[in-house]
């Protein structure tokens, strides 16, 4: 039997690939594994064709649509989901997540985790991107609520915070929408 080992949010997970009960089927996507097997429901299922960006995770440093990646092809991969951005000891949001909250960079919140993950992947590679680079990095994320104006502002705010500017958040409370981890 084939086996796959994946590190998700710092934790190693091992799966057997096969058709038997309890195994990861060869056609199972990373999105299905994250949501259905691991309970990481912050990664949202949208179009299932890699076009909307709702299921974006960071895989080996790159933002990828998890609906387009087979779990069987992830052996040795390091995956970060929206849940993995929080400080594991305190549960505090990371700088980018907090900037999204403080700048009201979401409306319904369904697409927010994918957008945050795309932005985080960009900031991990380039901590001081230009506005055009931010917009390019987010071009694969679709938001029906048109919150992209606040999203770019939130990413720019996070960049400033990470550089030490404007370290004081505008909103002191943490908001968690009923169906969205941000």
């Amino acid at each position: 039997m084939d086996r796959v080992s994946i590190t998700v949010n710092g934790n190693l997970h091992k799966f057997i690939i096969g058709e038997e009960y309890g195994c990861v089927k060869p056609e199972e996507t990373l999105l299905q594994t994250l949501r259905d097997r691991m309970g990481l429901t912050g990664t949202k299922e949208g179009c299932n064709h890699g076009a909307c960006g709702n299921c974006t995770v960071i895989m080996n440093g790159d933002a990828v649509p998890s609906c387009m990646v087979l779990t069987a092809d992830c052996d040795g991969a390091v995956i970060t989901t929206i849940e993995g951005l929080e400080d594991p000891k305190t549960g505090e949001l990371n700088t980018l997540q907090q900037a999204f909250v403080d700048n009201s960079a979401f409306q319904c919140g369904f697409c927010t985790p994918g957008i945050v993950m795309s932005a985080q992947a960009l900031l991990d590679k380039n901590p001081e991107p230009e506005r055009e680079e931010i917009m390019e990095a987010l071009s694969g994320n679709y938001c029906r609520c048109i919150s992209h104006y606040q999203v770019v502002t939130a990413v720019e705010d996070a960049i400033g915070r990470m550089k030490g500017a404007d370290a004081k958040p505008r909103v002191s409370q943490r908001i968690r929408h009923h169906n969205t981890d941000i």
Side-chain angles (χ1 to χ4, degrees):
M1 288 191 190
D2 289 330
R3 297 176 186 273
V4 63
S5 296
I6 307 168
T7 302
V8 179
N9 299 332
N11 299 308
L12 181 64
H13 299 270
K14 297 180 180 185
F15 301 102
I16 297 172
I17 306 298
E19 296 294 332
E20 294 81 22
Y21 178 78
C23 293
V24 171
K25 293 187 183 221
E27 67 274 9
E28 185 173 311
T29 66
L30 178 59
L31 171 63
Q32 292 167 322
T33 301
L34 293 171
R35 289 184 60 82
D36 301 338
R37 293 183 185 274
M38 302 173 86
L40 298 172
T41 57
T43 303
K44 303 302 183 201
E45 183 176 346
C47 69
N48 269 330
H49 296 291
C52 70
N54 291 335
C55 67
T56 301
V57 297
I58 299 174
M59 180 173 169
N60 300 328
D62 294 320
V64 298
S66 60
C67 71
M68 299 302 294
V69 178
L70 296 177
T71 301
D73 292 337
C74 291
D75 191 42
V78 176
I79 311 291
T80 304
T81 69
I82 192 74
E83 294 92 346
L85 296 183
E86 286 184 343
D87 184 307
K89 293 178 183 167
T90 65
E92 294 291 318
L93 299 177
N94 81 353
T95 302
L96 180 61
Q97 290 171 303
Q98 191 61 55
F100 267 67
V101 171
D102 295 344
N103 288 280
S104 300
F106 53 89
Q107 286 184 33
C108 80
F110 188 81
C111 65
T112 306
I115 293 172
V116 169
M117 297 311 292
S118 292
Q120 186 67 55
L122 169 66
L123 297 178
D124 288 346
K125 290 181 178 184
N126 179 3
E128 296 185 40
E130 298 294 323
R131 181 174 268 256
E132 295 77 30
E133 293 171 294
I134 296 168
M135 293 174 71
E136 176 65 26
L138 299 178
S139 65
N141 296 89
Y142 177 67
C143 173
R144 295 180 70 174
C145 302
I146 315 171
S147 65
H148 276 82
Y149 301 109
Q150 295 92 342
V151 165
V152 174
T153 300
V155 174
E156 290 173 333
D157 184 22
I159 293 165
R161 292 176 192 205
M162 289 186 280
K163 291 190 321 188
D166 191 24
K168 182 178 148 190
R170 287 188 280 267
V171 178
S172 61
Q173 64 188 16
R174 179 176 170 180
I175 300 170
R176 192 175 282 261
H177 193 273
H178 73 278
N179 69 347
T180 306
D181 292 323
I182 56 173

